[in-house]
Amino acid sequence: DIQMTQSPSSLSASVGDRVTITCRASQSITSYLNWYQQKPGKAPKLLIYVASRLQSGVPSRFSGSGSGTDFTLTISSLQPEDFATYYCQQSDSTPRTFGQGTKVEIK
Amino acid sequence: QVQLQESGPGLVKPSGTLSLTCAVSGGSISYIYWWSWVRQPPGKGLEWIGDVYHTGSTNYNPSLKSRVTISVDKSNNQFSLKLDSVTAADTAVYYCARWQDGYNLYYFDYWGQGTLVTVSS
């Protein structure tokens, strides 16, 4: 199985801050990496696929980068509605595996 | 707009079988997607359980494979999950989701709202 490790597990930030979350795969997954946002009591929502492609309807302040084993999700200017938990997920092979999540909290 | 809706018992006894159904609306289940189950224990992360194609082909997480059956019902545009021999560790919110699989694009793009299943006597 490919293990996905996110860092940090949680962070505190203020509205307007630039936020970066990293995700590392235990082996190369080329660009087969997705990012999801989950708010309390809600299903995950796809933000980014194939490492850097923005899902339709997702604000442009979200961006993704990386390839191989190291990936980054960046929120350029944090908005109140962005406080949530973020998960990376590899789509290179089964079993489909997720990172443990990064909770973004209000500072 | 595709919509997915989970249904099934919210309480299952230990050693029993967890059974859930996901109804798909707004699109045919007989298309180029895989139909998946993902679970999330309270306060924890996401775990992929497995998925099914409209032909009946399946993929399962090896950690659950011995206990899981996922099947498709094309006539009712729905798919189902059965998990045998459940324990308290299987208590979780269970989500059904659509897995986009093709054109070098692979991701979960639509999700149900999730249903909490508690394993308890």
Side-chain angles (χ1 to χ4, degrees), chain A residues 24-46:
Chain A
R24 174 165 288 176
S26 60
Q27 65 189 68
S28 176
I29 55 172
T30 58
S31 294
Y32 292 120
L33 190 283
N34 306 317
W35 289 98
Y36 301 85
Q37 175 193 67
Q38 186 179 34
K39 296 182 178 179
K42 300 294 187 182
K45 171 189 172 184
L46 177 67

Side-chain angles (χ1 to χ4, degrees), chain B residues 31-55:
Chain B
Y31 200 45
I32 57 166
Y33 305 104
W34 288 75
W35 303 93
S36 307
W37 290 96
V38 176
R39 70 180 183 178
Q40 185 171 38
K44 296 189 177 180
L46 300 162
E47 180 182 33
W48 173 73
I49 299 169
D51 35 49
V52 64
Y53 198 60
H54 65 85
T55 58

Side-chain angles (χ1 to χ4, degrees), chain A residues 1 32 34 36 38 41-46 49-50 53 55 87 89-91 94-100, chain B residues 34 36 38 40 44-48 51 59-62 95 99 101 104-109 111-114:
Chain A
D1 299 5
Y32 292 120
N34 306 317
Y36 301 85
Q38 186 179 34
K42 300 294 187 182
K45 171 189 172 184
L46 177 67
Y49 59 98
V50 199
R53 297 193 194 182
Q55 173 69 339
Y87 292 93
Q89 178 250 325
Q90 62 84 14
S91 54
T94 57
R96 316 190 199 289
T97 47
F98 294 85
Q100 81 278 16
Chain B
W34 288 75
S36 307
V38 176
Q40 185 171 38
K44 296 189 177 180
L46 300 162
E47 180 182 33
W48 173 73
D51 35 49
N59 296 308
Y60 295 134
N61 192 323
Y95 294 101
W99 176 255
D101 189 300
N104 268 337
L105 302 176
Y106 310 101
Y107 47 74
F108 295 109
D109 57 357
W111 297 70
Q113 64 186 24

Side-chain angles (χ1 to χ4, degrees), chain B residues 3-76:
Chain B
Q3 293 186 315
L4 293 84
Q5 178 67 58
E6 305 90 350
S7 62
L11 181 65
V12 181
K13 293 188 186 311
S15 78
T17 297
L18 180 159
S19 297
L20 295 174
T21 296
C22 181
V24 179
S25 59
S28 173
I29 204 168
S30 298
Y31 200 45
I32 57 166
Y33 305 104
W34 288 75
W35 303 93
S36 307
W37 290 96
V38 176
R39 70 180 183 178
Q40 185 171 38
K44 296 189 177 180
L46 300 162
E47 180 182 33
W48 173 73
I49 299 169
D51 35 49
V52 64
Y53 198 60
H54 65 85
T55 58
S57 295
T58 53
N59 296 308
Y60 295 134
N61 192 323
S63 67
L64 297 167
K65 186 173 183 177
S66 64
R67 300 193 290 132
V68 172
T69 303
I70 299 176
S71 58
V72 64
D73 177 358
K74 291 187 286 186
S75 62
N76 288 305

Side-chain angles (χ1 to χ4, degrees), chain A residues 11-69:
Chain A
L11 64 90
S12 295
S14 300
V15 172
D17 283 353
R18 181 181 182 87
V19 169
T20 298
I21 299 168
T22 63
C23 178
R24 174 165 288 176
S26 60
Q27 65 189 68
S28 176
I29 55 172
T30 58
S31 294
Y32 292 120
L33 190 283
N34 306 317
W35 289 98
Y36 301 85
Q37 175 193 67
Q38 186 179 34
K39 296 182 178 179
K42 300 294 187 182
K45 171 189 172 184
L46 177 67
L47 297 177
I48 302 279
Y49 59 98
V50 199
S52 62
R53 297 193 194 182
L54 200 64
Q55 173 69 339
S56 175
V58 174
S60 59
R61 63 182 179 271
F62 290 92
S63 63
S65 64
S67 66
T69 60

